């Protein structure tokens, strides 16, 4: 079988064209973004070992496993992150959280930044990469997740400090900025059936999905500097609830930002209390 036939077969079996291309490039040891290479090598024969690996990968993809777990990598904000089933597969929508955080972090300023529930380290590492002068701390309650984040920090040579903690329990602060993409899906949400490969502890948070967001908002004022911001990613319909929780906790200039699909996906405000 040649490359073109193998790509066609993958699509016939139900894979998206982009996923089929990515899996082929990775199995062939090429740059996963070099789709031009695939076109130029249409008629090359697929080596037997590569064909076998692709068969296995195809089966996994068709069973719903995220592409990132199969290839072991995910691109996020210009960084190549190593990911596996110990952490959430980083979503492009979370880049909105990073962009907003960067607006609040002037270059060459040694702000202290905290990323809560870091998972693969995606948000913390992107911020450290863009703002080398900042002291970025990445927190996760899961030792497994933290091992993935630390390995990414080491491989990318980014000096993010990784700390195991349940939210801010072990972190006295103060911080100029706290960001988080916490679990926010409601227990029993039907959309969880499509996410069975990812750690449930990174996805769900109580009956309305807001339990962890409530805890973070309760802890944040005592950990933020005067004027320090808290930015939270949340579910598609949670912006009004998160805004209300922030205002009740004394946050000001509370506002939300839309994701790539036009959905209010991040909400934040700043704290006037002295941390
Ligand atoms: N955005 C993810 C999803 O709904 C959930 C991520 C999270 O809970 N932080 O697929």
């Amino acid at each position: 079988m040649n490359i073109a036939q193998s790509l066609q077969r993958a699509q016939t079996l139900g894979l998206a064209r982009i996923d089929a291309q990515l899996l082929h490039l990775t199995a062939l040891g090429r740059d996963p973004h070099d789709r031009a290479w695939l076109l130029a090598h249409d008629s090359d024969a697929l080596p037997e070992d590569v064909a076998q690996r692709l068969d296995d990968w195809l089966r996994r993809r068709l069973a719903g496993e995220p592409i990132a777990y199969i290839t072991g990598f995910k691109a996020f904000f210009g960084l190549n992150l190593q990911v596996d089933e110990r952490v959430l597969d980083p979503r492009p929508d979370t880049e909105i959280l990073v962009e907003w955080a960067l607006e609040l972090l002037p270059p060459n300023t040694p702000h202290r930044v905290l990323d809560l529930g870091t998972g693969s380290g995606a948000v913390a590492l992107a911020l450290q990469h863009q703002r080398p002068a900042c002291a970025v701390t990445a927190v996760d309650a899961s030792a497994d997740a933290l091992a993935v984040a630390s390995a990414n920090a080491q491989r990318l040579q980014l000096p993010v400090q990784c700390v195991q903690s349940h939210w801010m329990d072990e972190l006295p602060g103060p911080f100029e900025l706290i960001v988080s993409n916490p679990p926010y899906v409601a227990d029993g949400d039907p959309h969880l059936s499509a996410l069975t490969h990812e750690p449930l502890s990174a996805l769900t948070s109580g009956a309305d999905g807001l339990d962890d967001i409530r805890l973070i908002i309760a802890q944040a004022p005592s950990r933020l500097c005067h004027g320090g911001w808290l930015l939270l990613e949340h579910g598609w319909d949670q912006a009004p609830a998160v805004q209300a929780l922030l205002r009740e906790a004394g946050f000001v200039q509370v506002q939300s930002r839309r994701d790539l699909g036009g959905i209010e996906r991040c909400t934040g405000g700043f704290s006037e209390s002295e941390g």
Side-chain angles (χ1 to χ4, degrees):
M1 189 163 25
N2 68 27
I3 289 180
Q5 289 163 335
S6 179
L7 277 168
Q8 189 50 54
R9 173 170 170 265
Q11 285 179 74
T12 308
L13 288 170
L15 248 74
R17 181 178 154 86
I18 179 88
D19 290 352
Q21 289 171 325
L22 210 115
L23 289 183
H24 277 73
L25 284 163
T26 308
L28 286 157
R30 313 297 313 183
D31 176 340
H33 307 294
D34 195 1
R35 285 187 276 158
W37 187 91
L38 274 185
L39 293 177
H41 291 79
D42 241 6
S43 54
D44 287 12
L46 210 57
E48 187 49 36
D49 58 324
V50 174
Q52 271 175 23
R53 188 174 321 144
L54 275 167
D55 263 352
D56 173 46
W57 287 4
L58 233 80
R59 210 168 321 112
R60 288 166 64 184
R61 180 61 193 147
L62 291 168
E65 192 168 337
I67 290 280
Y69 293 170
I70 300 173
T71 63
F73 279 94
K74 180 72 163 240
F76 182 83
F77 221 88
L79 295 176
N80 207 9
L81 299 171
Q82 219 152 7
V83 296
D84 58 40
E85 62 289 333
R86 290 174 290 177
V87 295
L88 198 77
D89 174 12
R91 314 285 203 265
D93 286 332
T94 302
E95 294 190 346
I96 302 303
L97 184 68
V98 175
E99 276 164 13
W100 193 356
L102 289 175
E103 289 172 26
L104 299 169
L105 295 170
N108 307 316
T109 311
H111 279 330
R112 292 154 294 189
V113 180
L114 180 62
D115 173 28
L116 294 168
T118 197
S120 63
V123 172
L125 293 165
L127 293 176
Q128 185 72 79
H129 185 232
Q130 297 291 323
R131 294 288 185 270
C134 284
V136 181
T137 303
V139 163
D140 210 290
S142 150
D144 272 352
L146 221 52
V148 177
S150 307
N152 275 319
Q154 215 155 28
R155 200 173 37 82
L156 296 166
Q157 298 194 319
L158 292 166
V160 167
Q161 208 200 336
C162 296
V163 178
Q164 191 176 2
S165 169
H166 182 251
W167 302 127
M168 285 164 264
D169 289 359
E170 312 299 326
L171 279 303
F175 298 95
E176 275 82 15
L177 174 65
I178 299 175
V179 296
S180 183
N181 172 17
Y184 53 68
V185 180
D187 292 340
D189 185 312
H191 133 237
L192 288 169
S193 60
L195 304 173
T196 52
H197 294 267
E198 295 181 270
L200 201 58
S201 63
L203 289 166
T204 59
S205 188
D208 62 359
L210 291 167
D211 282 3
D212 286 291
I213 286 180
R214 278 189 206 94
L215 288 175
I216 293 170
I217 292 177
Q219 283 187 327
S222 65
R223 310 302 202 278
L224 281 167
C225 305
H226 180 78
W229 281 77
L230 171 64
L231 305 182
L232 295 164
E233 179 176 324
H234 50 70
W236 65 276
D237 57 352
Q238 292 171 335
V242 177
Q243 286 196 7
L245 287 167
L246 283 169
R247 289 198 184 97
E248 279 163 31
F251 282 86
V252 296
Q253 276 199 39
V254 173
Q255 54 199 279
S256 300
R257 294 270 175 111
R258 290 180 196 280
D259 66 15
L260 307 169
I263 288 164
E264 286 189 324
R265 176 64 65 188
C266 292
T267 295
F270 72 79
S271 167
E272 287 183 315
S273 71
E274 203 67 61

